[in-house]
Amino acid sequence: MRRSWSRAWRWVDGATIHATARVHPSARLAPGVVVEARARVGAGVVLGPGAVVGSSVSVGAGTSVGPHTSLQHCSIGGGCTLHAGVRIGADGFGFVPGTPAGAEQSRESQRLERSVGSVLEGDVLPVKKPQRRRVVVGRDVEVGAGSCIDRGSWRDTSIGAHTKMDNLVQVCETALDPSLTEPFFPQRSTNTGCPVPGRPQRRHRCRLPAVR
């Protein structure tokens, strides 16, 4: 096993691991994996090529993380399967109405509105709502390729144990109730909780028959 060290990072067989991260010796890390500060990777975890385990993220024992998956602001339970390209813990699409253009604004409001871009005089500028919560994924959850689970702005986004998601599923932080505490089986292209102009928000549930 080839190792090299710096003050903050170490490189193990092509994986980059922060000095404060805790990686179980039985975990398997492919080349290109990045494990950031204070992250925890449990026993038997498999991290595919290019996977990123963000700062303070925990990955439970026996979980498989597919290639080019990114985990931020979240905890992942044991025995989960996250397929290629999954994104967990990124900011949700959260904006609130700002002040009319040209009106007196605070420095913080001006900075936020400049980040959105210039608009015509008289338009109301959207201001990004801070996204400060986490995503909590229970045990034995499977998330299909390319799916996204956003972090919350006012409460954690919780995915219950034994939930199964198809490919290209989006779980938004804007859901009326982002806590999916029961087994949940959304099919592909399901957009859970994202508002559509002029329509009420809905929680999409696709339940499978009970196994007897």
Side-chain angles (χ1 to χ4, degrees):
M1 180 179 292
R2 298 178 57 190
R3 297 174 181 262
S4 60
W5 297 81
S6 72
R7 179 173 297 181
W9 298 88
R10 66 182 188 270
W11 289 267
V12 181
D13 291 344
T16 304
I17 305 172
H18 195 273
T20 60
R22 294 166 52 189
V23 179
H24 194 276
S26 65
R28 292 184 289 166
L29 280 59
V33 165
V34 177
V35 182
E36 297 183 354
R38 300 177 301 281
R40 293 177 294 169
V41 178
V45 168
V46 177
L47 300 179
V52 177
V53 180
S55 177
S56 301
V57 168
S58 63
V59 182
T63 287
S64 174
V65 179
H68 304 290
T69 290
S70 64
L71 307 176
Q72 305 168 278
H73 313 291
C74 65
S75 64
I76 309 298
C80 294
T81 301
L82 311 179
H83 292 280
V86 166
R87 303 286 184 257
I88 297 180
D91 278 5
F93 190 74
F95 292 89
V96 295
T99 56
E104 186 176 350
Q105 301 166 286
S106 67
R107 289 184 179 180
E108 179 66 12
S109 177
Q110 291 174 359
R111 184 187 67 79
L112 290 171
E113 293 187 356
R114 280 198 301 271
S115 69
V116 178
S118 61
V119 295
L120 297 175
E121 183 72 20
D123 285 348
V124 175
L125 304 177
V127 178
K128 184 173 177 63
K129 184 178 181 180
Q131 314 287 298
R132 297 194 176 103
R133 305 300 296 180
R134 295 171 60 82
V135 177
V136 180
V137 178
R139 66 186 184 279
D140 299 320
V141 170
E142 183 164 349
V143 181
S147 295
C148 299
I149 305 174
D150 295 342
R151 67 189 295 204
S153 61
W154 63 282
R155 62 182 292 184
D156 291 342
T157 299
S158 299
I159 307 299
H162 310 295
T163 292
K164 311 299 179 187
M165 296 186 184
D166 201 350
N167 301 330
L168 302 176
V169 169
Q170 169 77 37
V171 179
C172 298
E173 67 87 21
T174 50
L176 289 177
D177 182 1
S179 297
L180 307 176
T181 56
E182 303 174 11
F184 180 51
F185 308 102
Q187 297 173 347
R188 74 184 55 163
S189 299
T190 297
N191 204 330
T192 305
C194 287
V196 177
R199 297 182 184 178
Q201 296 183 16
R202 295 181 180 178
R203 290 181 62 192
H204 301 272
R205 285 183 176 271
C206 307
R207 296 187 179 278
L208 297 183
V211 178
R212 300 184 181 275

